[in-house]
Amino acid sequence: EVLAEIARELGIGPALRLGAGEEKQGARQQPYVLAESLEAVAGALYLDAGFMSAFAIISRWFEKMVAKALQPVPG
């Protein structure tokens, strides 16, 4: 779910090329499709730019999630 949320924030859904059947079934909004697409983008970054560059970019994707997770729990 976290990967799908990040994919939504990055606008990956509208950029996906889908077949007519997938489009009809709403695959563009399915969490598993978004998560797997984000994984593919991460892999492409790694292959194209190398580990350190990919790590720098991918780390930024998770900044909000990490900051949110580190918030103290009220109570």
Side-chain angles (χ1 to χ4, degrees), residues 35-73:
E36 290 177 4
S37 298
L38 184 67
E39 289 175 353
V41 170
L45 281 169
Y46 169 72
L47 291 174
D48 191 51
F51 177 79
M52 292 308 292
S53 295
F55 180 79
I57 293 167
I58 294 167
S59 295
R60 284 184 281 188
W61 295 349
F62 288 89
E63 282 177 350
K64 286 183 193 176
M65 300 288 177
V66 171
K68 190 175 176 181
L70 294 175
Q71 292 283 328
V73 178

Side-chain angles (χ1 to χ4, degrees), residues 1-53:
E1 191 59 41
V2 170
L3 295 179
E5 186 174 333
I6 292 170
R8 284 186 202 97
E9 288 177 9
L10 294 173
I12 288 178
L16 295 175
R17 293 183 67 189
L18 302 173
E22 293 168 317
E23 190 71 60
K24 229 181 205 182
Q25 293 175 354
R28 193 176 301 280
Q29 302 304 322
Q30 294 295 323
Y32 74 94
V33 172
L34 292 168
E36 290 177 4
S37 298
L38 184 67
E39 289 175 353
V41 170
L45 281 169
Y46 169 72
L47 291 174
D48 191 51
F51 177 79
M52 292 308 292
S53 295

